[in-house]
Structures are given as C-alpha cells and as structure tokens.
Amino acid sequence: MAAELVRGQNHPLPRNRIEIRISAQAPVVAGATLADENGRVDGADRVAHPGAPTLPGIEVSRQAAAEHRLAVDLDALPDTVHRVSVLIALPAAPGGPSRFGAVAAPRAAVTGLDGTEVAGYTLAGLDAESAVVALELYRRQGAWKMRAVGQGYAAGLTALLTDQGLPRAAELARAIEDAVARAMARSVPARTTDTDRSRRAAASVAGEHPGTAGASPYDLQAPDPGSVRSGGSDGLGDATPAPGGVRPPAPDAPAATGAATPTGGPVDYTHPKRRRTSPSTAPAAPAVSAPAVGPAPPVAGDAVGWSLDERLYNQVWGMFEDLARTTAAYRSAVDFAESRMEKELDQVLSDPRSRLGSVGDTAREAAHARQAQLVDQARAVLDRDLAQLTAESEVVEPALPPAYARWDNPVWHGYQVPTEPPMAVRLGDLHLPESVPLRIPMLVRLPLERGLWIDSGRTATLDGDFSDSGELRHLALRTAVELAARLLAAHPVDEFGVQVIDPAGAAASALAPLTGTGVLAGPPAAGAAGVADVLGRLTERVDLVQMAVRGGAPDALPPGLDTSRQLLIVNDFPHGFDDRAVTQLRYLADEGPGVGVHLLLVADLEDAAAYGPLLDPLWRSLMRLTPVPDDHLADPWVGHAWTYEPCLVPGGSQVLQQVLTQVAAARTKRM
C-alpha cells in the first residue's frame, strides 16, 4: 500500500527507475535541480526545466500543465549528484493564480513505471508562495530515499534557485519563464466541446430547467429551502434540477454550435479527470441562433492516458462516475418531487376551507400532477444519459484488451501471453437498478492491494435458485478459478504463480482447468500437513522479501527464492485450519500484498462463526465478491449500493481451456 507522507517524513525507494507525478488544480511549471553532497547546485546545467527538459537521468515537461510526469533513472545520474529536488512553480500567466494559497493544494507522488504509487505527499498549508520544493530524492549510504519537503518561496523561482546555491539564479528564473511563455504561445487554445452546455442551452430554449452535468446529490439544490442544491437558478423556478450529465466528447470532436451558457456561466460538475475544457479558459460560446447539435459519437479510448490501456481504464471509470452522478441526481430529483408534494398536501390539509370538497380534491390532484411531471422530467434526462452511456459502452466493450474484457469477447480468441502486465484486471460487472441492462466493467488496479473473498454462503438478495448449498459452493469455487485464470493470463510468463489449498480435497472437478493444463505451481495442498507446508513457505517468503526491502538490499535474497507474484487460493476456509494456520493466513492477508503474495479465499462466513471476532480483521481486509449477482458493494462517494455480477465463462465455451493451454505452453518454452 502506498505511503502518504507528511512534511519532513522520508521513505525508501524500492527501485531506481521511477516516475514523479505532479497534479495541481491550475497549470504549474515542474522542474528539478541536481545537487552535490552539500546540497549545492553547481550551475544552470544541473537544472532540468521547460527550456532544458532533459538531463542525464531525468526528464521534465516542456510546458506548464496541471499534471506532470517526470521520468527519473537514479542509476543514470552523475556520481557527483547526491540530491534531486523536485520543484513546482506557478507560471506568470495573465489571469492565472499568483500564489498557491489561491488554489487547491498540489500533490506529488513517486510511482513505479507501471503506475504503482510508492509514496505521495499533498503540499498543504501553502499561502503566498508561488514556488515550492515538493520532494527531495537523496542518496544515503549507497541507497536512494525520498523526503517530503514542502518548502515554499513567496518570491518565486528566483528565491528558490538562490536558496539552492545556484549562481545567477535570477537570470535562470527569467529563462524558465520565457520558455514557459513560448510554449504557451505555441499551444492551440482548447475548443469548447462540452455537449452538456449544448444540452443546457437546448433545455433553456425549450423551457426546461438546465441539467447539472453529472451532479451528485451533494451538488444539487432544489428551489425549496432545505432541499439539496442545484447547479443554477435558470429555467423553471418551481422545477427540481434535471438530473444527469455525461462526459463531453473527445478533444478532437467537432465543437458544438448553438450553445449558450447562462449568465455567469454554469457550474461544471464533471469530474476533473473527465473534463476536456476548463470553464474558466474555454472560449465564449456564441448566442443561441439555432437548435443545439447532439453529442458526438462515442469513441473508445476517449480519456487521458499515455497508452491505449490507460485511456480505456480511465474511460471505464469515467463511465462509472457518470452513471453514479446521473443516478444520484435522478434519485435526488425524485426525492424532491415527493417532499414537495407532501408539503403541498400538508398545506391543503392544514386549511379547513380546502380540506374537503371540490377545492381540496383539485389541490390534491394538482399536487400529484406536479409530482408526476417532475419525476417524468427527471426520468427523461436519466434516460437520455443512460442512452449516451449505453452507446459508449457498446463502443468501448469490443475495444477492451483481454485483461479488461468479458470471457465472451472475441479478443480472447487472439490471445497471446503478454510481455508486461496491464494496469488493471476485470473482476466483474457493476450496475444499478435504474441502469439495467447497462453494466460497467469493474476494473481493479494491479498489483492487487487487497485480497479477495468469494462468499460461498447465502446472501440476503439471492432469489432461491441455489437451494443446494453445495451448488453455490461449487459456483463460488468456479468463480475463483476463473479469476485466477484471468490473473495468470494477464501477466507475463514466470511473473505470476497460483497455489491452491484444498484441505478436504473436495475441489478436484472445479480445479480441473488449472490442474489439467499444468499452470499451477504445484498440486493442490490437502490435509493439515499440506496446509502447514504452503502457509509456512509463503510466510517465510514474505518475511525474507520484507527484510530485504526494508534493509535496502533486495539483491541479498537467498538464491533460488521465487520472487514472482503468488496467488493463494484457499478453498472451504476455515476447514482444515488450526490456530497457527489461521494466524499465518491473517499475516499473509495483511503483509502479503506489499511483497507480492495475494489471497483468494472461498469461504462461508457462517462456517467461521466458531472463531468469533478473531477473524473480523481478516474479513475486513479482503474484498468480498459473490458468485451470483448481489448488491453488496457500497459506494461511499454518493451512497449507492452497486450490484456486483461475476464474469463467468459462457457454458460450452472452450476459451478458458485455450487460454490456459497457451500460458502453460509459454512456460514450457521458458524452462
């Protein structure tokens, strides 16, 4: 798990080829200085900045941006360099912020080349500073470490570089500002492509309340006091805010015409990772003179990212966020309509003159009609957004790589063992009651930060189809086997192994795809002796790797130790486990993911009831999945309960056998 540092805290670096990722609310300049063992920078040739972005061992961005990725190869740095200071500064741009206190706190993080975060630091507490040293990489006894610095300078880059001991610091600061200005002058201004603005303009023309772009219930406000907030005061004064709002099209899509923003500009509720044009910097839209055009056709990979896999990953989770927002807005609108109707009915009943007779009946009918009208308006906007998300899903699903795809996707028929692991893997599908049949892939980043638990017990939402508990247990184990097969297929040869503990030896048929193709690291362990042997070896592996990493000597591991990532499938837990084995399993669940040992438990919570609260930390440390659709995944962001559905191989398909056979053949060739 990544460490979140506070100012002054240090952290070891597990590898020497890293990325430093900077994220800020406003465009910033990123750079780095290379200092000697005394912390002094000899000259301008030891400063990487937009005007000179490449130095031995480090490369920075050529222009100001809200997000940066600095590539660092510590082994390639000159021997005289003992300290690398990562700096960020606000450019002198017209209309831009002049101090960090005017924007949200920036964040700096050190990651591996695969994007796995090692440690991060949020630069909180900045005020008048316009330049800051965010992080420091320093050499100590031959090993590199990082430190969260957060040293700011109100006098800007000149003061920062002077403090680094750089001669002629003011001259270099001006050169950096000139390079940034030239880069900004060469950049093409972003075009207004936000289709939500077109929809809001069209709604205003039609007399509807403009929608809030994917607003959550915390971002909406109905006109009635005490209700949730809306995104603006335009449109019908007595209408609840129309829910919804999905992402704008790709940056190269044609700009929408005929869009007009309300006075003062609308509030843009789109998630920052999904925005294409900032409302404060977008060119003004022309006045309404023609009906607004519809959204551009969806495109697979319509998201930020350095590779197609990363863009697809970000796009999928952007779809998840959009569905969460538009559903939350719809539910808020329905709740507001209900509360408004109840308030109007209370007013009718509180007046004796209108409580009875035709006047009361007319008032009640009007209240119900207004409630139905508001709900219908909200449902229409929800249906519009669902249609757009469904169209996007129909484009994205066929373009997904194997690790992200369902088993029935044709991409599996062209499967080849990868040479590097993907960013994420698909664990199943997610959907909400209002969104059926739209399903969003549940993608989880690799390497897994938590173990997995396939619940083989009965859940409250099962419809009774699995009256036989044995059938449900078999389906749970099948789900675990197919998840393990997906993880094996997603990793290069010899970088991922699977071991199985089956104390009673009752899982032979379900494990056949793994045992029959020979992809397991060894035969399934059975009996108390087998359980003790596997847990003992994995526990020892975790201990050795942890000691090597913490001691800064990863090359000191014993020869022959398998350092590839391992997935341990445990069937029918806790049967066959004594107290020592349970303790070892809890240790692996807590410490294993950080050093490449992951758990996949198939268990019924009721079977472990005899252990009482002893196993509560174990269950909390694992991600619970179910072999049948179940709405158990909570969304703390907007409060939804998402229904999880596993991705299983279709009946009669041979795709699982074919993929595992290829994995086994590739391993045989490497031996």
Side-chain angles (χ1 to χ4, degrees):
M1 183 177 295
E4 187 65 26
L5 306 182
V6 298
R7 185 174 182 178
Q9 185 177 358
N10 57 25
H11 192 275
L13 293 177
R15 56 185 66 88
N16 286 349
R17 294 188 64 190
I18 57 175
E19 282 188 353
I20 299 175
R21 303 193 178 192
I22 307 292
S23 57
Q25 187 181 35
V28 296
V29 179
T33 61
L34 309 182
D36 58 20
E37 56 187 358
N38 297 318
R40 294 186 60 83
V41 181
D42 294 337
D45 59 343
R46 290 297 178 96
V47 181
H49 58 84
T54 304
L55 293 179
I58 191 165
E59 183 175 359
V60 303
S61 304
R62 296 176 179 272
Q63 60 185 9
E67 294 187 0
H68 292 268
R69 289 188 181 183
L70 283 64
V72 180
D73 185 353
L74 298 172
D75 291 331
L77 291 173
D79 293 337
T80 56
V81 173
H82 290 260
R83 185 181 303 173
V84 178
S85 298
V86 179
L87 58 93
I88 58 176
L90 291 168
S98 59
R99 59 187 184 91
F100 279 109
V103 296
R107 188 174 190 273
V110 173
T111 73
L113 299 183
D114 59 353
T116 303
E117 184 171 314
V118 176
Y121 170 47
T122 301
L123 286 76
L126 298 177
D127 187 9
E129 298 89 343
S130 61
V132 61
V133 177
L135 298 176
E136 181 180 83
L137 312 179
Y138 63 96
R139 197 198 308 256
R140 180 68 53 83
Q141 296 178 350
W144 285 92
K145 297 184 178 182
M146 64 174 290
R147 179 184 291 116
V149 180
Q151 177 63 51
Y153 298 85
L157 274 174
T158 300
L160 186 154
L161 296 173
T162 300
D163 196 36
Q164 296 266 324
L166 187 74
R168 305 173 68 177
E171 182 179 335
L172 178 58
R174 286 194 297 271
I176 295 174
E177 292 173 357
D178 291 343
V180 172
R182 289 195 300 271
M184 295 176 65
R186 290 194 301 266
S187 63
V188 178
R191 291 173 290 179
T192 305
T193 60
D194 193 340
T195 56
D196 290 327
R197 297 177 186 172
S198 301
R199 290 200 296 268
R200 282 192 289 266
S204 299
V205 172
E208 299 174 338
H209 193 289
T212 57
S216 72
Y218 313 110
D219 296 328
L220 295 175
Q221 177 180 346
D224 188 35
S227 59
V228 288
R229 294 185 313 170
S230 75
S233 58
D234 301 311
L236 299 177
D238 61 346
T240 182
V246 292
R247 289 151 299 100
D252 55 355
T257 59
T261 55
T263 303
V267 178
D268 185 1
Y269 291 102
T270 309
H271 191 279
K273 293 183 179 179
R274 304 287 280 174
R275 291 176 185 164
R276 293 295 182 269
T277 305
S278 172
S280 62
T281 60
V288 174
S289 59
V293 298
V299 178
D302 177 21
V304 297
W306 285 40
S307 65
L308 180 59
D309 281 7
E310 186 175 0
R311 293 197 299 272
L312 287 170
Y313 172 85
N314 290 332
Q315 184 174 13
V316 166
W317 278 111
M319 293 166 60
F320 170 86
E321 294 168 357
D322 288 343
L323 180 57
R325 280 192 176 90
T326 191
T327 304
Y330 168 73
R331 293 178 180 179
S332 294
V334 172
D335 290 344
F336 168 73
E338 293 287 345
S339 63
R340 173 176 173 163
M341 181 184 68
E342 292 175 0
K343 181 178 180 180
E344 292 178 348
L345 292 177
D346 289 342
Q347 291 176 348
V348 172
L349 295 175
S350 63
D351 189 351
R353 295 171 298 177
S354 60
R355 187 179 304 164
L356 302 175
S358 59
V359 176
D361 293 340
T362 301
R364 281 188 286 270
E365 291 176 0
H368 282 284
R370 279 191 288 270
Q371 183 266 347
Q373 179 186 9
L374 295 179
V375 172
D376 289 344
Q377 288 179 356
R379 185 70 213 193
V381 177
L382 175 66
D383 290 342
R384 178 200 63 196
D385 290 344
L386 290 179
Q388 185 170 340
L389 285 171
T390 300
E392 185 172 15
S393 176
E394 292 172 351
V395 172
V396 169
E397 278 286 356
L400 296 177
Y404 300 177
R406 293 192 184 100
W407 286 110
D408 58 358
N409 192 312
V411 72
W412 284 106
H413 297 292
Y415 168 77
Q416 297 291 331
V417 178
T419 57
E420 58 183 23
M423 284 188 58
V425 69
R426 186 173 190 159
L427 298 185
D429 292 331
L430 299 172
H431 66 87
L432 295 169
E434 294 88 347
S435 69
V436 177
L438 174 63
R439 282 164 170 75
I440 306 297
M442 181 181 174
L443 302 182
V444 176
R445 289 290 296 265
L446 293 178
L448 297 174
E449 294 185 357
R450 301 173 61 188
L452 304 176
W453 162 33
I454 310 298
D455 191 352
S456 60
R458 295 189 173 278
T459 61
T461 59
L462 292 182
D463 56 8
D465 290 342
F466 294 91
S467 56
D468 183 4
S469 60
E471 184 180 357
L472 188 58
R473 290 176 186 270
H474 180 81
L475 184 59
L477 186 55
R478 175 191 167 191
T479 303
V481 168
E482 295 182 9
L483 280 176
R486 183 180 289 271
L487 288 166
L488 275 169
H491 286 80
V493 177
D494 297 336
E495 289 193 14
F496 194 87
V498 176
Q499 303 186 47
V500 177
I501 290 180
D502 183 21
S509 60
L511 293 172
L514 300 177
T515 56
T517 53
V519 295
L520 291 181
V531 172
D533 178 61
V534 172
L535 292 179
R537 285 188 286 105
L538 290 177
T539 301
E540 182 183 17
R541 179 193 183 281
V542 170
D543 289 339
L544 290 174
V545 175
Q546 277 190 338
M547 287 189 293
V549 171
R550 291 171 180 173
D555 297 333
L557 291 171
L561 181 68
D562 184 6
T563 57
S564 64
R565 294 193 172 273
Q566 297 291 319
L567 177 71
L568 175 61
I569 302 177
V570 179
N571 181 44
D572 215 12
F573 177 80
H575 295 302
F577 280 69
D578 56 19
D579 291 345
R580 175 180 172 82
V582 169
T583 301
Q584 288 177 317
L585 196 70
R586 286 184 52 185
Y587 175 74
L588 293 178
D590 293 337
E591 304 295 336
V595 290
V597 176
H598 311 278
L599 292 185
L600 178 51
L601 263 63
V602 180
D604 181 355
L605 192 61
E606 293 183 1
D607 292 343
Y611 285 90
L614 176 66
L615 290 182
D616 287 350
L618 175 64
W619 305 124
R620 287 196 295 267
S621 68
L622 303 175
M623 178 185 295
R624 176 176 174 258
L625 304 176
T626 55
V628 292
D630 182 54
D631 59 348
H632 68 280
L633 289 179
D635 177 7
W637 182 36
V638 290
H640 295 326
W642 291 80
T643 297
Y644 166 81
E645 186 173 348
C647 285
L648 300 178
V649 176
S653 173
Q654 298 297 316
V655 65
L656 184 64
Q657 184 76 18
Q658 295 169 1
V659 169
L660 292 178
T661 300
Q662 282 191 254
V663 172
R667 292 187 172 187
T668 302
K669 292 180 181 179
R670 289 288 299 271
M671 295 177 63

